[in-house]
C-alpha cells in the first residue's frame, strides 16, 4: 500500500502542481477583470448572472466529490493489486511448492479487473462532467440571453453592442 500510494500520489501531485500553478495566478486576475467590466456595463445583469451561477456550480461540486471518492477507491485497489503482486513475487517458491499458481493468478486477475472497472468509472465521470457543466452553462446563458435580449429590445437595460460585450465577459 505504501509503494502504491507513494507512486500514485507523487504522479498525481506532479500533474496537479503543473496544471494548477498557472491557473492559480492567471484565472483569478481574469475573473476580477471580467467581473469588474461586467459590473460597469450593467450591475443588474451581473447580479442576475451571479445568482444563477450557484445552480451550475452545485452540479460541478457534486461531480468533483464523486470523482474524489472514486479516485480514493482506485488508489486502494491499486494498493491491493501491488501488494498481491509483491507477495506473489517474493513468495514465488512457496507458491510453486504448494502448486498455488492458479489461485494466485485468479486472485491477480480479479483485482486487476476491479482496478480496470474503477479506472473506467473515473474516466466515464470525467468525460460526463464536461458536457454536464456545459449544459448548465448553456441554460444560464439562454436565460440571460432571453432576459437581457428582451430588455435590450424594449430599450431598457443597455445598448445592443454593450449587451454583446456583457455576454462575452460573463461567459
Amino acid at each position: 500500500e505504501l509503494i502504491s500510494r507513494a507512486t500514485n500520489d507523487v504522479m498525481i501531485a506532479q500533474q496537479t502542481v503543473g496544471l494548477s500553478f498557472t491557473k492559480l495566478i492567471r484565472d483569478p486576475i481574469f475573473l476580477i477583470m471580467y467581473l469588474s467590466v461586467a459590473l460597469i456595463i450593467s450591475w443588474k445583469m451581473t447580479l442576475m448572472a451571479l445568482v444563477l451561477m450557484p445552480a451550475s456550480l452545485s452540479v460541478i461540486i457534486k461531480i468533483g466529490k464523486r470523482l474524489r471518492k472514486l479516485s480514493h477507491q482506485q488508489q486502494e485497489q491499486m494498493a491491493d493489486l501491488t501488494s498481491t503482486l509483491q507477495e506473489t513475487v517474493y513468495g514465488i517458491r512457496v507458491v510453486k511448492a504448494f502448486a498455488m499458481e492458479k489461485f494466485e493468478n485468479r486472485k491477480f486477475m480479479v483485482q486487476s479487473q476491479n482496478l480496470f472497472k474503477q479506472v473506467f468509472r473515473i474516466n466515464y465521470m470525467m468525460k460526463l462532467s464536461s458536457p454536464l457543466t456545459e449544459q448548465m452553462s448553456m441554460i444560464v446563458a439562454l436565460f440571460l440571453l432571453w432576459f437581457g435580449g428582451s430588455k435590450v429590445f424594449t430599450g431598457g437595460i443597455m445598448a445592443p453592442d454593450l449587451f454583446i460585450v456583457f455576454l462575452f465577459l460573463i461567459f
Side-chain angles (χ1 to χ4, degrees), residues 7 13 39-40 44 52 60 76 89 92 108 118 131 150 165:
T7 305
L39 281 167
I40 291 169
K44 291 178 185 177
L52 293 173
I60 295 168
E76 288 177 356
V89 169
I92 193 70
F108 180 79
Q118 193 66 23
S150 65
V165 171

Side-chain angles (χ1 to χ4, degrees), residues 2-17:
L2 287 174
I3 292 169
S4 174
R5 287 216 181 257
T7 305
N8 290 327
D9 288 353
V10 167
M11 185 177 67
I12 290 170
Q14 181 183 12
Q15 290 173 349
T16 303
V17 169

Side-chain angles (χ1 to χ4, degrees), residues 66-159:
R66 178 80 174 134
L67 280 172
R68 273 193 299 273
K69 181 181 174 187
L70 289 173
S71 178
H72 182 71
Q73 291 172 352
Q74 177 190 357
Q75 283 188 331
E76 288 177 356
Q77 288 177 349
M78 180 64 113
D80 291 343
L81 185 68
T82 304
S83 175
T84 298
L85 190 59
Q86 181 184 13
E87 289 171 5
T88 304
V89 169
Y90 283 136
I92 193 70
R93 289 183 182 164
V94 174
V95 170
K96 291 247 182 214
F98 289 101
M100 300 281 293
E101 293 95 342
K102 286 185 181 179
F103 172 79
E104 292 296 331
N105 191 27
R106 231 178 292 122
K107 186 174 160 184
F108 180 79
M109 290 301 290
V110 166
Q111 287 179 336
S112 63
Q113 286 174 351
N114 288 340
L115 179 63
F116 174 77
K117 288 176 186 175
Q118 193 66 23
V119 169
F120 186 80
R121 276 188 219 115
I122 289 173
N123 284 333
Y124 177 78
M125 284 298 290
M126 289 175 72
K127 300 296 183 206
L128 184 67
S129 67
S130 180
L132 280 176
T133 304
E134 290 177 22
Q135 196 111 37
M136 292 301 296
S137 297
M138 290 309 296
I139 290 170
V140 171
L142 286 174
F143 181 77
L144 285 175
L145 189 61
W146 169 76
F147 181 78
S150 65
K151 296 293 182 189
V152 166
F153 285 126
T154 59
I157 219 163
M158 67 181 88

